[in-house]
Amino acid sequence: MASVVYFLDSRGRPLLHRDYKWDIPSTAIEKFPLLLLNNSIGQSVDEGSTIPVLNDNGINYVYLLHKDLYILALTREDANVFSILCYLDSMVKVLEGYLKSLEEESIRDNFSVIYELLDEMMDFGISQITDQKILKEYITQESFTLNTLLHPSGSKKKPGSTTVFKQRVAPSTVTNAISWRSPGIVYKKNEAYLDVVEAIDMLVNSRGQLLSSEIHGAIKLKSFLSGMPELILGLNEKFMKSCLNAVRGTPGNVSEGDKKSIEVEDLKFHQCVRLGKFESEKMISFIPPDGECDLVSYRVHSPVLKPLFLIDYKVRNHSNTRLEIMLKVRANFKSRVSARKLEIRIPVPRDIDSPKYHYNKGTLKYVPNESVILWKFRKIDGGKEYVMIAELLLPSVSDDGELEKFKKIPINLKFEMQGFVTSGLQVKYLKIREPKMNYQSYPYVRYITKSGDSYEVRTN
Amino acid sequence: MPPSQLERRLRRFFNIPLKGENSEFRSGLVSQYPDERKDTIQRVIAAMTVGKDVSALFPDVLKNIATHDLEQKKLVYLYLMNYAKTNPELCILATNTFVQDSEDPNPLVRALAIRTMGCIRVDKMVDYLAIPLKRTLKDDNPYVRKTAAICVAKMFDLNSKMCIEQGFLDTLMDMLNDSNQMVVANAISTLLEISKMSDSNLLKMDSKITKKLLITLNECTEWGRISILTALADYDTNDSTEVDHIIDKVTPQLQHENPAVVLSAIKVIIKQLDKISNERREHLQRRLASPLCSLLSNPPEIQFVALRNIRIILERYPEMLSNDLQVFFVKYNDPLYLKLEKIDILVRLVTTDNAALLLAELREYAMEVDIEVVNRSVNAIGQLAIKIEQVSKKAVEVLYELYMNRSTYVLEQLIIVIQNILRRYPTKYLPTVITVIADLNFDDLSTPESLSSYIWILGQYCKQIPHLEDRLQTMASQFQEMDPLVQSAALTAIVKINLTKSSPKIRQILQQILNEATTKIENADVRDKAYIYWRILSTDDEKLQKKVILKKLPILESTIEKFSAPLLRQLVDEISNLGSVYYKPGAAFVRLRSGDDGAFVDNATLQSKRLEELQQMAKSEIVNNAVKAENLLDFDESAEDRQGAQEEQEEEKIEVSASSDSAANILDELSDLFSGLSTQPAKNVSSSSASPAPHNSGNHEDLLNLF
């Protein structure tokens, strides 16, 4: 697997690295910036123009771009590159959990805890533990002395002291069959929250026709439960059936003539869910990790989904000195529903000057570093329609390409809607049973529909 | 830390002169205050992290190894791992602490000690490693055992002989029966790793182990599952019940949240697909489709590798994803490499049902900003038109539309695509093509590929092209400056036109081009081609000329690239490995290192290989020359015969055999030469009639100079 893991800044200079196998000369890393340059498939060398897997002189470079950092693994073998990339991705997530944000500065400031984590997550190039909850149990940023460890009792509270010492004991959870939850958790109030969140990615053409759509859904569980509770999640039958169809590879029942039916394309479970049981007994049963987790994530294909917002866009160019952009947005859903935090990003040419707006709702702002006009609504009710007109002065010196280019960038929308999800998923019940403690607990369920990363409308 | 800072300041104030960072570190490392020592260690590690050489501090850092502060211990260990090589003797001083730590009551410390010990890459350390390793492999605590398992691989890397002698590999096999899932997984990973290192198969899978692994699979961490699945993928199943068992236990893994687990599971299943009934296979293929598509709900780099794997799987099972076209649509924010990869997959998924949808989508991409995306999309539209006849008309319309809002960079690709479409549909879309060509001139195109496509169209459809002669005149005037590829196309075109639509002007152009090609062009292929045409044209047999030159080309069936069958078989084994990204089997790009001087060894073998090649070349050269020499001699002989010369024939014959012998001797001689001896090569060349022989010796001298 990986021989070395590097963290590099945006210019490819190493910030920190951990060598696991010592079979790669230190000169190999100096070549990396050059390799990025030489292997670029684009005309300009910018991010994303070089493929993430490169081979030079017998050494394989596998990188992941995270913000401005290159997270790079090197190997000589014909290693499982897919697993290496997934590992790097998990590693970044763990480090983000520890450092809040993984960037040049936080790496420099926290090298000692990073080394400690890198040591624990991978050994001799073999991935070990990347579960943040487990790691947090025995790798903490405060310093510890071994004195506390010498008490063999294992009790969490020292007699006579009120402070709870988290002990750095042998991480039994790490190697347990249930590796995601440690025993002995106690809450006064036992609560569990379920959020069903569906993010819609959609591509709509300028005539308002839907080109492609994808719904990424997740059931997020936030649990504050004592002991080792056994949970069973019940979903509505229609959705469950569709899930099983997807999992078993049987095509959806087209014969029913029910064309409106939603098709679940694929679903993934958190590692705590018993995968075998789902298939054989149609049951989602699990012992949850403490705190938050994405219990189920799924992908849905809906043939009848309509665009939630209709956009009418016009642009007029007044002899290359002035642009006039007109945009009309219509909330294409029932009037009793409303969307919140709607943000419409309208692309404009770079370096425009003194924009003037006419509009009848929301706020408008020019965002120079994104080259967009941002139209924000706190709330928009179904069936309502709003218009804005923006007048922009074009820079006197600009290349013609720029005036063509901005028209090709789609308009991006962000929004959030509460109270329903498009797939029709419903949580019927969440049974909670703790065999030893037998406590009462109440689950809470919320439904949220929101935009994904790319809810886009083309303008030409 | 205020006290230590204060102290440092006082020291600085009173006596200790500033001697740079290292001396400051040194005094900090031996400070009597533990806090300051720890603080200094941290700063030393910080300096190490940014690439400063702090190896000189080795003895002072080492003094801090005996500590109860776990964090400090880890830092010191980290330092040791990095600089052990610079101070191998001093390292041995640390062994005592390591061995002690490996017996510590705290399992974390035991594991840390054994983990670090294996990372100290000093030969002598291996001698001390065996005992604690043996002990920790049998530790009560699974965390320690799983760490020790990996340490076996480290030891194997340092001293494989000792590792085998001590029976550690057998211990690893025993560990497959461990009660703890993580220990089992690490034992598997380690065995796989050692197998790779030694290029052998140490993990002898049998049905018993397979059963055990399938049970462990469900309890493992995600990374453990990947190791087990990797082992299962390489397992050659014995009978159908075993195949069924594996498939049953592995399919639930397709629902795992880690995409690497999913792809590894897919690989296991695909490797079994050929061993099951058709019906079941079809069912499983359908089942694999959605997990494959879900691989695209990940960061772009992961998507990229997933797409390369999907391409391999698609070539093996082309129908698998045809219902999932839209998943592969390009997103505006995708990085460039991902967009190109997605378009490549899209054309492979096309069927008569979804072709129209894809065409509309490709049309959008062809109007994008990135030149590479535009070119790739135009190419894809062509591939689509050629693959699916039903949409070819629409596709040509889209191409025409693109041509109308032309930007120069579309044009080049467009012409190449049009040529391919004509190869598929020779006359169907001719009117449209002619309008495009009528509008185009030589100066509009610049790449050799597009120019040769343009010229091919001129030659093939010369009767329909307006202002043909003017175009050909321009072509002829630029002939000498053209790329050989274009010159070759131009030659063919003009010869073809001369046969189908001859005129005095065209004959003149033909003559000019043939003249230039045979006298002024250096490229041998172009020259030879011109000579051949000239020969054919000078036969005056027009029927023959037409038969050869105007031969109909076969209809182009597809322009989508495909792997060869043997390569595809190898690539299925490479799924999820690096080879799947490069489209090459592992052996083609992996260079196993042999010690630290690997680069040197590589060079040496490379040089000796080159030497061999040269020797081979030299030998064959000489053999050729020798044959020539004989021929020449024969010729002489017969000539003399004809002349009826007075010389005695017998004598002549003896001489001939002698000289041909000499040529053979030179061969032997030469191989002697290469093996280091240097004798006079021309010794055997005595006969005056064997004129090639001295030439030969000149040849080796040249070769010898090469070395």
Side-chain angles (χ1 to χ4, degrees):
Chain A
M1 293 279 293
S3 291
V4 205
V5 172
Y6 274 96
F7 296 81
L8 307 158
D9 69 7
S10 53
R11 292 199 212 156
R13 283 175 305 204
L15 296 169
L16 188 148
H17 77 277
R18 175 74 169 86
D19 203 336
Y20 291 103
K21 288 174 80 174
W22 301 273
D23 60 351
I24 288 178
S26 53
T27 47
I29 192 65
E30 292 159 15
K31 275 192 171 175
F32 180 63
L34 199 67
L35 281 174
L36 282 180
L37 206 73
N38 290 346
N39 288 290
S40 166
I41 42 174
Q43 299 212 322
S44 57
V45 181
D46 49 0
E47 287 164 3
S49 62
T50 309
I51 58 168
V53 184
L54 302 166
N55 179 304
D56 177 72
N57 206 14
I59 296 168
N60 301 291
Y61 297 72
V62 182
Y63 78 86
L64 202 70
L65 205 57
H66 173 79
K67 289 175 188 162
D68 275 346
L69 299 177
Y70 288 97
I71 318 290
L72 172 72
L74 305 182
T75 175
R76 277 183 180 276
E77 302 166 1
D78 181 18
N80 186 335
V81 60
F82 199 68
S83 162
I84 291 181
L85 276 171
C86 292
Y87 168 78
L88 293 180
D89 189 42
S90 307
M91 179 185 82
V92 168
K93 280 183 188 135
V94 169
L95 293 178
E96 290 237 288
Y98 269 86
L99 312 176
K100 299 291 173 286
S101 155
L102 184 66
E103 48 199 89
E104 220 179 303
E105 215 176 302
S106 62
I107 290 179
R108 287 194 207 284
D109 292 348
N110 293 288
F111 62 90
S112 89
V113 74
I114 295 177
Y115 278 130
E116 215 176 320
L117 284 166
L118 291 180
D119 242 9
E120 213 52 58
M121 289 192 280
M122 187 176 257
D123 192 6
F124 202 60
I126 302 166
S127 317
Q128 296 293 301
I129 300 154
T130 51
D131 189 320
Q132 207 186 119
K133 291 198 183 83
I134 305 306
L135 288 168
K136 279 206 165 148
E137 275 184 29
Y138 67 108
I139 298 192
T140 44
Q141 269 167 310
E142 303 92 45
S143 58
F144 289 86
T145 58
L146 291 183
N147 296 339
T148 46
L149 295 169
L150 296 176
H151 294 281
S153 62
S155 66
K156 284 214 166 184
K157 280 189 181 176
K158 272 187 173 180
S161 95
T162 46
T163 40
V164 178
F165 277 91
K166 271 212 165 177
Q167 295 187 348
R168 278 193 154 190
V169 283
S172 66
T173 356
V174 174
T175 46
N176 269 349
I178 298 163
S179 63
W180 55 89
R181 188 183 180 96
S182 35
I185 297 170
V186 182
Y187 285 101
K188 252 188 222 163
K189 244 170 137 186
N190 289 293
E191 287 170 327
Y193 300 88
L194 281 172
D195 279 352
V196 181
V197 183
E198 290 188 356
I200 304 182
D201 277 338
M202 200 181 265
L203 186 60
V204 180
N205 71 8
S206 51
R207 277 156 287 166
Q209 289 163 326
L210 181 71
L211 292 176
S212 67
S213 71
E214 216 173 15
I215 303 174
H216 288 272
I219 304 178
K220 293 173 188 283
L221 172 71
K222 220 186 273 180
S223 71
F224 307 104
L225 301 168
S226 314
M228 279 289 181
E230 282 280 347
L231 272 65
I232 297 172
L233 176 68
L235 303 178
N236 56 326
E237 203 167 313
K238 200 167 155 191
F239 191 86
M240 204 60 186
K241 210 163 129 192
S242 184
C243 283
L244 286 163
N245 281 341
V247 166
R248 289 180 184 154
T250 42
N253 289 334
V254 194
S255 57
E256 281 176 27
D258 184 12
K259 281 192 181 161
K260 280 192 177 176
S261 73
I262 299 282
E263 254 180 78
V264 176
E265 305 240 302
D266 192 23
L267 73 166
K268 301 269 177 259
F269 293 111
H270 186 266
Q271 58 165 330
C272 67
V273 178
R274 298 181 180 97
L275 295 177
K277 259 198 171 161
F278 175 72
E279 246 191 293
S280 55
E281 294 168 45
K282 304 176 194 172
M283 217 159 80
I284 303 177
S285 78
F286 54 97
I287 295 172
D290 194 37
E292 294 177 44
C293 77
D294 279 12
L295 189 65
V296 186
S297 52
Y298 55 92
R299 214 152 45 78
V300 180
H301 175 67
S302 162
V304 289
L305 202 65
K306 275 182 290 186
L308 290 164
F309 295 93
L310 295 180
I311 299 281
D312 192 3
Y313 172 92
K314 281 197 183 67
V315 60
R316 201 177 297 157
N317 183 343
H318 296 278
S319 55
N320 282 356
T321 55
R322 193 160 61 88
L323 274 188
E324 205 177 276
I325 296 176
M326 192 279 296
L327 190 135
K328 193 160 75 182
V329 56
R330 188 185 148 82
N332 191 26
F333 39 81
K334 290 188 190 101
S335 56
R336 58 189 161 83
V337 186
S338 63
R340 298 185 313 148
K341 294 182 191 164
L342 174 66
E343 290 182 12
I344 306 176
R345 283 183 166 71
I346 309 154
V348 294
R350 256 183 301 189
D351 305 323
I352 54 144
D353 207 0
S354 49
K356 270 186 235 143
Y357 313 110
H358 310 276
Y359 56 101
N360 54 4
K361 189 162 167 89
T363 56
L364 271 161
K365 195 170 78 183
Y366 170 52
V367 189
N369 58 354
E370 290 180 52
S371 286
V372 294
I373 294 175
L374 177 59
W375 193 8
K376 269 186 175 175
F377 295 78
R378 241 195 335 215
K379 189 177 155 219
I380 181 167
D381 291 327
K384 289 278 167 50
E385 190 175 279
Y386 302 100
V387 189
M388 76 104 212
I389 294 169
E391 280 180 54
L392 324 163
L393 294 184
L394 291 169
S396 49
V397 197
S398 76
D399 62 309
D400 299 341
E402 187 59 30
L403 275 178
E404 283 306 304
K405 208 171 156 183
F406 89 93
K407 288 186 199 162
K408 293 177 175 173
I409 304 173
I411 296 170
N412 183 290
L413 275 75
K414 291 206 186 324
F415 57 86
E416 202 180 288
M417 296 160 100
Q418 284 206 357
F420 72 98
V421 284
T422 29
S423 69
L425 181 148
Q426 281 171 355
V427 174
K428 287 289 179 201
Y429 56 83
L430 180 70
K431 282 185 195 155
I432 302 171
R433 204 171 65 83
E434 156 60 47
K436 287 181 196 142
M437 299 176 164
N438 261 329
Y439 48 76
Q440 288 280 309
S441 68
Y442 302 98
Y444 301 84
V445 187
R446 280 197 303 178
Y447 297 92
I448 297 160
T449 294
K450 60 174 194 172
S451 56
D453 288 335
S454 54
Y455 191 105
E456 286 168 346
V457 181
R458 284 184 184 152
T459 56
N460 57 343
Chain B
M1 259 145 248
S4 62
Q5 235 166 36
L6 179 70
E7 201 210 48
R8 212 181 301 137
R9 226 177 272 162
L10 285 172
R11 275 163 174 270
R12 227 177 270 168
F13 186 77
F14 282 112
N15 48 4
I16 301 178
L18 274 174
K19 270 191 197 164
E21 222 170 10
N22 266 9
S23 71
E24 198 182 314
F25 283 152
R26 199 161 282 147
S27 59
L29 288 169
V30 295
S31 159
Q32 54 180 323
Y33 302 102
D35 275 353
E36 187 181 351
R37 288 205 298 271
K38 186 174 173 185
D39 179 51
T40 314
I41 293 169
Q42 279 196 327
R43 291 194 296 133
V44 170
I45 300 286
M48 182 185 94
T49 304
V50 294
K52 285 183 193 150
D53 183 15
V54 286
S55 60
L57 298 166
F58 199 89
D60 299 302
V61 176
L62 197 60
K63 283 174 196 152
N64 290 290
I65 195 169
T67 172
H68 285 297
D69 183 330
L70 193 54
E71 197 177 321
Q72 180 178 338
K73 200 182 259 308
K74 281 185 178 176
L75 290 173
V76 174
Y77 280 3
L78 184 70
Y79 180 92
L80 281 185
M81 281 189 266
N82 262 323
Y83 292 113
K85 282 234 149 153
T86 59
N87 290 283
E89 293 80 24
L90 282 173
C91 263
I92 304 307
L93 294 178
T95 39
N96 202 18
T97 317
F98 279 129
V99 174
Q100 249 173 37
D101 280 355
S102 74
E103 293 173 85
D104 195 276
N106 183 350
L108 265 185
V109 178
R110 293 203 295 276
L112 178 65
I114 201 70
R115 187 168 67 204
T116 314
M117 234 179 146
C119 297
I120 308 271
R121 310 197 34 97
V122 176
D123 293 338
K124 278 186 192 150
M125 194 55 116
V126 184
D127 305 334
Y128 299 96
L129 182 59
I131 295 166
L133 180 56
K134 210 166 254 173
R135 188 169 51 229
T136 43
L137 279 169
K138 301 258 185 297
D139 201 286
D140 292 339
N141 189 295
Y143 181 77
V144 180
R145 286 204 302 278
K146 73 114 184 155
T147 312
I150 290 180
C151 191
V152 176
K154 296 176 187 170
M155 185 170 177
F156 188 89
D157 195 29
L158 284 170
N159 188 338
S160 52
K161 204 171 138 223
M162 187 165 169
C163 188
I164 296 165
E165 276 168 8
Q166 296 274 344
F168 284 127
L169 298 185
D170 302 327
T171 318
L172 278 182
M173 283 307 279
D174 294 342
M175 284 173 110
L176 297 183
N177 290 316
D178 199 285
S179 59
N180 184 283
Q181 40 81 19
M182 197 144 182
V183 179
V184 177
N186 272 2
I188 294 265
S189 308
T190 307
L191 284 166
L192 290 174
E193 191 67 43
I194 295 178
S195 302
K196 259 189 189 162
M197 270 190 246
S198 56
D199 207 14
S200 57
N201 184 16
L202 293 170
L203 181 59
K204 299 271 185 312
M205 296 275 286
D206 55 30
S207 54
K208 203 178 133 226
I209 296 178
T210 307
K211 253 183 208 147
K212 159 78 185 164
L213 290 187
L214 286 171
I215 294 165
T216 319
L217 187 60
N218 264 319
E219 298 163 359
C220 273
T221 67
E222 43 203 322
W223 310 111
R225 287 182 205 220
I226 294 168
S227 302
I228 292 181
L229 289 169
T230 309
L232 286 174
D234 292 335
Y235 174 54
D236 205 8
T237 42
N238 294 320
D239 52 53
S240 63
T241 48
E242 208 168 40
V243 173
D244 288 345
H245 189 58
I246 289 180
I247 290 177
D248 287 346
K249 289 286 179 203
V250 170
T251 38
Q253 304 304 321
L254 297 173
Q255 257 59 56
H256 198 280
E257 58 178 346
N258 184 323
V261 175
V262 176
L263 189 60
S264 298
I266 290 175
K267 184 177 179 180
V268 175
I269 295 171
I270 283 189
K271 299 262 282 190
Q272 303 297 338
L273 273 186
D274 291 335
K275 297 177 184 164
I276 55 176
S277 68
N278 281 341
E279 192 191 347
R280 182 118 198 261
R281 179 160 59 237
E282 270 168 37
H283 173 237
L284 271 172
Q285 280 190 40
R286 272 204 303 279
R287 192 164 167 185
L288 291 182
S290 44
L292 272 175
C293 293
S294 294
L295 296 179
L296 294 192
S297 324
N298 282 303
E301 292 87 355
I302 296 180
Q303 283 188 53
F304 169 79
V305 177
L307 284 170
R308 290 255 160 135
N309 279 286
I310 287 174
R311 151 117 196 247
I312 295 169
I313 296 171
L314 274 181
E315 290 221 2
R316 188 78 183 73
Y317 303 100
E319 295 87 32
M320 204 181 262
L321 296 171
S322 40
N323 294 326
D324 299 285
L325 187 76
Q326 277 155 325
V327 178
F328 298 91
F329 278 4
V330 169
K331 296 207 170 99
Y332 180 76
N333 289 327
D334 286 341
L336 179 59
Y337 61 79
L338 194 59
K339 288 184 179 172
L340 300 181
E341 215 62 36
K342 279 184 172 174
I343 297 175
D344 189 58
I345 297 291
L346 282 172
V347 272
R348 287 163 199 278
L349 294 178
V350 77
T351 60
T352 42
D353 297 331
N354 59 23
L357 178 69
L358 179 59
L359 181 63
E361 188 68 15
L362 288 174
R363 182 179 162 272
E364 293 285 340
Y365 304 159
M367 299 188 179
E368 262 230 38
V369 191
D370 288 317
I371 299 169
E372 292 77 16
V373 176
V374 172
N375 275 334
R376 187 69 192 82
S377 315
V378 171
N379 189 19
I381 293 175
Q383 291 174 327
L384 181 65
I386 288 164
K387 191 172 169 189
I388 310 283
E389 195 174 352
Q390 285 91 324
V391 287
S392 59
K393 184 164 181 286
K394 270 215 167 126
V396 172
E397 279 167 21
V398 169
L399 290 175
Y400 187 69
E401 181 194 2
L402 288 172
Y403 166 74
M404 292 307 282
N405 345 324
R406 69 168 126 172
S407 40
T408 39
Y409 53 85
V410 186
L411 218 54
E412 313 270 353
Q413 188 66 38
L414 202 67
I415 289 296
I416 299 171
V417 166
I418 287 181
Q419 185 200 359
N420 286 335
I421 289 183
L422 286 173
R423 290 276 313 270
R424 174 76 170 80
Y425 312 104
T427 51
K428 211 169 169 186
Y429 304 111
L430 206 52
T432 319
V433 173
I434 297 301
T435 29
V436 173
I437 297 296
D439 227 21
L440 269 182
N441 285 312
F442 270 88
D443 307 338
D444 295 329
L445 301 168
S446 58
T447 67
E449 288 80 13
S450 60
L451 272 170
S452 59
S453 292
Y454 175 67
I455 291 173
W456 182 86
I457 298 172
L458 291 187
Q460 193 72 12
Y461 299 94
C462 53
K463 285 184 182 153
Q464 286 91 342
I465 310 264
H467 312 296
L468 181 70
E469 287 177 2
D470 294 346
R471 288 171 207 273
L472 295 176
Q473 189 65 56
T474 338
M475 177 174 93
S477 66
Q478 296 169 359
F479 186 74
Q480 286 187 51
E481 290 86 54
M482 287 170 170
D483 188 274
L485 184 71
V486 187
Q487 286 172 341
S488 178
L491 255 174
T492 313
I494 191 73
V495 173
K496 275 199 303 202
I497 294 170
N498 184 49
L499 278 178
T500 40
K501 199 188 169 200
S502 191
S503 73
K505 178 90 182 157
I506 284 176
R507 273 196 293 280
Q508 183 210 327
I509 295 171
L510 172 68
Q511 191 59 49
Q512 186 197 338
I513 287 183
L514 282 177
N515 271 338
E516 282 182 17
T518 47
T519 54
K520 294 186 179 150
I521 302 297
E522 279 171 13
N523 185 292
D525 287 339
V526 177
R527 229 178 146 94
D528 285 354
K529 196 170 177 181
Y531 273 122
I532 293 166
Y533 277 136
W534 209 329
R535 273 283 166 83
I536 297 173
L537 292 177
S538 51
T539 54
D540 274 344
D541 180 353
E542 206 177 312
K543 218 170 145 193
L544 178 77
Q545 289 173 9
K546 285 197 171 161
K547 201 175 158 195
V548 174
I549 294 163
L550 300 182
K551 199 167 166 49
K552 266 199 180 153
L553 288 165
I555 292 286
L556 204 58
E557 293 298 340
S558 168
T559 46
I560 300 173
E561 283 171 45
K562 283 227 151 68
F563 298 127
S564 68
L567 179 62
L568 182 58
R569 261 197 303 282
Q570 286 174 312
L571 289 182
V572 170
D573 286 334
E574 286 288 336
I575 287 175
S576 84
N577 284 0
L578 274 165
S580 70
V581 178
Y582 303 139
Y583 297 145
K584 283 180 196 163
F589 59 90
V590 171
R591 279 192 236 158
L592 280 180
R593 84 210 144 96
S594 37
D596 282 334
D597 47 358
F600 175 72
V601 172
D602 270 352
N603 259 337
T605 50
L606 207 71
Q607 272 193 350
S608 69
K609 211 174 167 190
R610 233 178 257 154
L611 200 75
E612 258 169 49
E613 272 171 21
L614 276 174
Q615 283 186 7
Q616 204 60 44
M617 266 166 58
K619 274 186 187 171
S620 60
E621 178 87 347
I622 286 162
V623 169
N624 285 343
N625 279 344
V627 170
K628 260 191 217 157
E630 270 178 304
N631 286 347
L632 270 174
L633 289 169
D634 283 351
F635 183 74
D636 275 351
E637 199 183 352
S638 60
E640 275 167 56
D641 272 350
R642 252 186 280 132
Q643 280 167 10
Q646 299 296 316
E647 280 105 325
E648 286 149 294
Q649 286 219 344
E650 280 183 25
E651 229 176 82
E652 185 74 64
K653 267 189 182 159
I654 291 164
E655 226 178 34
V656 167
S657 65
S659 67
S660 72
D661 271 351
S662 82
N665 285 344
I666 288 169
L667 242 178
D668 296 339
E669 184 109 336
L670 195 74
S671 36
D672 283 351
L673 262 178
F674 277 117
S675 52
L677 296 163
S678 64
T679 43
Q680 265 312 108
K683 194 177 78 188
N684 278 349
V685 188
S686 51
S687 156
S688 60
S689 60
S691 59
H695 175 66
N696 268 356
S697 73
N699 242 2
H700 348 136
E701 257 157 17
D702 281 354
L703 279 166
L704 287 170
N705 287 340
L706 276 175
F707 300 116

